[in-house]
Amino acid sequence: MFELHITTTNAFIDQLSDEIALHQVTAITWQDAADQSIYEPLPGEVIKWDKMILKGCFADYASVLTLIPYLELAKQRNEISHYQCCAIDHQNWIQVGRKGFEARTYGERLCICPSWEKSPYPELVNVLLDPGLAFGTGAHPTTALCLEWLASHISGNEMILDYGCGSGILALAAVKLGATHVVAVDHDEQALTACCDNFAKNKLAQNQLDVFLPDQLPRREVDIVLANIVATTLIAHADLFAQWTKPKGILVLSGLTETDFESVVTVYQQYFIFKNKITKEGWILLEFVKK
């Protein structure tokens, strides 16, 4: 295992985290870099110190090397002041990732529950989830926004594309809530494996799920396209998502902040009608309808 340490400030920590998440990282943590005390954060507030260290854990050094050009450019732009990589003792990162993952409800219909626990909400639609080394437990506001949207909008028999599926949490929730079929896409093969494993844990038919790496994705049309990924990738994929969405179909974009709003809506309005914006803890979800 290898651990990458990046010294930065609170102004750049989010964009650095988003970039590192694209490079097969197994865990990301933040910590104070200047012994700054923060007392009694507001409800829902994400603590950010003025000077911060981002730590990313990687299974192999090759994944770290793919980040070096980005890190060097970030240094030139004064977005980071220092970075270094070191080998660390092996840990069971799957077990580490389970810590703090507990059953949560979304809307009035849905519960995401660790697969190794019994759900405390048997009356709800329950998704049993084991994230493994893939991202997605529902704890992050961007994922929660998507889950809440699904819980209130899935009525049954929908065909869905989940782009950037991670653990498969959105795909699972959609099918459990009544969708007929989901196409799940991720650049990380571990995520696709986790997605298939989670479908099996939930005793769902494998013919309700197709998984693809991005460069293997065929062309189809679906009722709903879901994408919970960073703004730069959303902007780059506007044409692809438009091709995948049926006329009058729905596009749901998450992973965005208010600063992304105008640029994303501008790009997508050539294909879609903007319908709604939902906010949660500084993050936003955008809903569009295909023209």
Side-chain angles (χ1 to χ4, degrees), residues 8-12 32-34 36 38 47-52:
T8 184
T9 66
N10 57 19
F12 302 108
D32 178 20
Q36 176 190 359
I38 296 179
I47 295 177
K48 294 182 181 178
W49 300 271
D50 293 338
K51 189 176 181 182
M52 303 179 70

Side-chain angles (χ1 to χ4, degrees), residues 97-248:
R98 288 182 171 184
K99 293 180 180 178
F101 178 24
E102 57 188 22
R104 298 172 185 261
T105 60
Y106 300 89
E108 298 180 354
R109 300 172 59 197
L110 181 66
C111 174
I112 306 296
C113 184
S115 62
W116 54 92
E117 293 183 1
K118 185 177 180 179
S119 172
Y121 307 101
E123 72 281 6
L124 300 183
V125 174
N126 278 274
V127 173
L128 302 179
L129 189 74
D130 184 350
L133 292 178
F135 289 99
T137 64
H140 195 276
T142 60
T143 310
L145 282 166
C146 292
L147 291 169
E148 290 164 1
W149 188 92
L150 288 169
S152 62
H153 287 80
I154 295 296
S155 57
N157 300 318
E158 294 91 347
M159 301 282 287
I160 294 175
L161 171 66
D162 176 11
Y163 199 97
C165 65
S167 64
I169 185 171
L170 301 183
L172 283 160
V175 172
K176 282 279 194 141
L177 288 164
T180 301
H181 189 88
V182 176
V183 177
V185 183
D186 204 286
H187 74 281
D188 187 348
E189 292 187 3
Q190 287 183 143
L192 300 181
T193 299
C195 186
C196 292
D197 289 346
N198 282 318
F199 259 70
K201 285 183 174 71
N202 283 269
K203 297 180 171 57
L204 296 173
Q206 288 300 311
N207 63 8
Q208 291 181 280
L209 172 73
D210 287 325
V211 297
F212 295 100
L213 294 167
D215 59 359
Q216 299 173 346
L217 186 63
R219 182 173 296 185
R220 301 179 190 172
E221 283 191 339
V222 296
D223 303 294
I224 300 170
V225 172
L226 293 168
N228 179 24
I229 48 183
V230 297
T232 52
T233 307
L234 291 175
I235 290 172
H237 285 64
D239 183 64
L240 173 66
F241 294 162
Q243 292 173 21
W244 266 80
T245 310
K246 291 180 178 179
K248 307 301 182 183

Side-chain angles (χ1 to χ4, degrees), residues 32-48:
D32 178 20
D35 196 26
Q36 176 190 359
S37 299
I38 296 179
Y39 300 102
E40 296 191 25
L42 297 172
E45 181 183 9
V46 177
I47 295 177
K48 294 182 181 178

